[in-house]
Amino acid sequence: MKFLVCISNVPDTTTKIAFTPDNKEFNKAGVQFVINPWDEYALTRAIELKEANAGSTVTVLNVGEADTEPNIRKALAIGADDAIRVNAAPKDAFFVAEQIAAVAKEGSYDVILMGKESIDYNGFQVHGMVGELLGIPTVAPAMKLDMSGNTATLEREIEGGKEIVQVATPFVASCQQPMCEPRIPNMRGIMTARTKPLKVVPATAGAPRTEVTEFALPPKKLGVKLIDAANAGDLIKLLRNEAKVI
Amino acid sequence: MSVLVVVECDKGEVKKSSLEVATYGARLAAQLGTSATAVAVGEASDASLAKLGEQGIAKVLYDKEPRLKDFVNNAYTKLIAATAQQEDAKVIVLANSNIGAAVGSRLSIRLQASLATNVVELPKTEGGQFTVKRGAFSGKAFSDVVLTGERKIIAVKKNSIEAQHEAGKTAEVVAFAAQLSDADFADAPKQVVMQDQAGGILLPEAELVVSGGRGMKGPENWHLIEDLAKALHAATACSKPVSDVDWRPHHEHVGQTGITVSPNLYIACGISGAIQHLAGVNSSKVIVVINKDPEAPFFKAADYGIVGDVFDVLPKLTAAVKELG
C-alpha cells in the first residue's frame, strides 16, 4: 500500500497574527512554523497503517519553498519513508490541489491523506479538489480510518453524528480528531530522517482562481463588564436587556 | 444567469444554516439583478421547500431519489452540477458545513469555478470584481479574496447572516431528475450513527452555547452546564483538555483543532482561554466568561465576566433564566 500524506507549513498555534504594513501578507517575522495540526493526524495514521501492513510506504508531500524543509524532515523523523517538495509558494487551494494531483498521478498512490484544513487559511477545499482532479472518492472529514486489503472503512463526521463509509483504493481522505494520537519524533527518528530522500520537483502549470487582496484583524473588544458573583443572576438580565442575545 | 443556492435538509426540514444561505443567495441575486433558485439535498418535504420563498427563493429543484436522503459526495456533486448547468448559474452558494465543503470543493473542479469558504458577508461586486470577505487564521483574522473565475462558489459561514422570514411568500417546488447511476452512489454511507446532543441542539448550528473546561473538575459536574444549556435552549461544548481526557465527547470540542463556532452567545465556564480555544470561539457575538481566576486570559476576550466559582455561579444563572420564563 502506497500512502501519500500532504502536509502544510503553518504558524504555530500560539502565534499572534499580524500582517505586513500594506496588509497584503502574513508577517512571518519571529514566527515559528509547524506541521499543520490537522495534517499530523493524517501523517500519524498513515504511519500506523504502514507499520501494520508490511511492505507499505509513506511519502510526505509539501507544496512550499525551501523554508518548509525543517517540517518535512520532522515528518520523516516521525516515520515517513521519503518526501517530495513541490518547489512553489502555495498560491491558493486550487493551485495546491493541482500540484498534489500531479504528484499523485505520477506516483500511483493508493491512499492520499491530508488534514481537514490548514489552520492559517482554513480553506477545507484541497481534499475535494484533489479527489475530483483524480476522479476518485473523497471522504471528508474522516475521524477514523481502517484498511482491510484494498478496502477502507472510515468514519466521517456529520452534524450530530457520524457515518460509516467504505471505499476502495485509490481514495482521498481529510483527517481530524480523534483519528489517532499524533506522534512526536524521537532521537533515533531525527537522526535517520537526515538521510531519508527528499526530492524537490518544479510546480506544474496551474493558475490560481482566487487572489487575496487584503488581510484584517477583527475589531478590538471594548473590554469586559464584570458582574459580582454574589449577584450572578444580574448577568442574565444584561444578556436579555443590554446585549439582546437571549 | 442566476444564483443557485444549495439547501441542506434533514428529517423533512431545511436546516437553519441553509435558511441563512438562502437569504444570502436571494440578497446576492438582487444585488446582481437576477433571481435565486435553490436545489435541495437530503430529506425534505415539499411544504418545507415551498417555505424557502420566505427567504426570497423563487424556485426549488428537488430530486426525490431516495438514496439522496443521506449525503453521498459524488451523487450530490453530480446533482448540483446538473442544476447549475440547467439554470446557467454563475454563482453557487452553499453552507460552510461538512457537506458544503465536501461538495463545493469537488464542484469547483467540475465547473471550473473559483471557490471561497468561510465567507462572512455579501460580496463586493463594484468595478467588475467579485470580492468576498472570509475568516482566516482560525478566526483570528479576515481576508478579502477576489474570485477570478467566470463561475463562483461561495460557502457561507454559519450565523454570519440572519435568515429573513417574509411571511406568506412561497417558492415553486419543481421535480428534478439528475439521472444518477448506481456508480454515483459508490461512496454512500453504510451506516449513520447519531450521537446524543444535549437538548437535541446541534453545536455547529447553535445560536447559544454553554461550554465547560477543566475548571468543572470532572464529568460528574457537567449537569451544571447542561442545566443552564437546557434553560437557555443552548448547545453544550467543551475545551480540548476536557475532550482529551474523555470527560466529554470529541464532537463537543470547540477550538482551533475542534469545531469552530460563531453563536450569538458563548458562555465559557472554568475555561482559562488558551489562544487555541479562543480561535474557535472569538467570532461569537457575545462572550461570557466565568472563572475564579481573575487573571484568566479569557477575560480579555469577553464582553461580560464573573470572577467566581462555577459551582456557585452556574446554579444562580440557571435559576435566573428560569425566572425570566
Side-chain angles (χ1 to χ4, degrees), chain A residues 106-129:
Chain A
E106 180 79 21
S108 302
Y109 295 93
D110 301 296
V111 180
I112 302 167
L113 300 180
M114 61 188 76
K116 158 185 153 164
E117 63 186 53
S118 66
I119 62 163
D120 46 6
Y121 296 108
N122 305 110
F124 196 5
Q125 303 174 11
V126 174
H127 49 83
M129 291 178 174

Side-chain angles (χ1 to χ4, degrees), chain A residues 26-46:
Chain A
F26 173 68
N27 187 349
K28 293 182 178 179
V31 173
Q32 187 185 350
F33 280 75
V34 297
I35 299 173
N36 179 40
W38 298 108
D39 298 338
E40 288 188 330
Y41 293 105
L43 176 64
T44 304
R45 188 63 190 135

Side-chain angles (χ1 to χ4, degrees), chain A residues 38-190:
Chain A
W38 298 108
D39 298 338
E40 288 188 330
Y41 293 105
L43 176 64
T44 304
R45 188 63 190 135
I47 292 166
E48 288 174 352
L49 289 167
K50 178 191 89 157
E51 290 167 351
N53 294 278
S56 297
T57 57
V58 174
T59 299
V60 169
L61 170 61
N62 169 255
V63 180
E65 295 175 309
D67 60 352
T68 69
E69 289 198 1
N71 280 326
I72 298 175
R73 289 282 173 206
K74 185 181 171 192
L76 292 169
I78 289 170
D81 298 287
D82 59 354
I84 300 168
R85 179 170 67 81
V86 176
N87 188 26
K91 294 171 187 161
D92 75 346
F94 174 67
F95 175 82
V96 171
E98 282 217 320
Q99 309 312 316
I100 293 171
V103 170
K105 266 183 200 160
E106 180 79 21
S108 302
Y109 295 93
D110 301 296
V111 180
I112 302 167
L113 300 180
M114 61 188 76
K116 158 185 153 164
E117 63 186 53
S118 66
I119 62 163
D120 46 6
Y121 296 108
N122 305 110
F124 196 5
Q125 303 174 11
V126 174
H127 49 83
M129 291 178 174
V130 172
E132 187 72 15
L133 285 166
L134 296 172
I136 59 178
T138 312
V139 181
M143 302 188 291
K144 195 174 175 190
L145 164 62
D146 290 312
M147 299 289 303
S148 175
N150 290 329
T151 303
T153 303
L154 301 107
E155 285 183 9
R156 174 171 60 205
E157 185 185 80
I158 56 171
E159 279 142 0
K162 61 188 176 188
E163 289 175 347
I164 316 297
V165 182
Q166 279 185 342
V167 290
T169 58
F171 67 92
V172 181
S174 71
C175 304
Q176 67 167 43
Q177 278 187 310
M179 179 159 281
C180 55
E181 191 59 43
R183 293 182 185 180
I184 50 173
N186 57 29
M187 188 50 71
R188 186 167 170 270
I190 292 167

Side-chain angles (χ1 to χ4, degrees), chain B residues 1-5 25 28-29 32-38 59 83-84 86-93 151-152:
Chain B
M1 173 183 142
S2 70
V3 172
L4 181 69
V5 175
L28 174 58
L32 298 174
T34 182
S35 60
T37 298
K59 181 171 73 174
T83 55
Q86 177 183 293
E87 298 298 311
D88 189 22
K90 291 290 185 284
V91 187
I92 299 169
V93 187
R151 271 208 171 101
K152 285 106 174 138

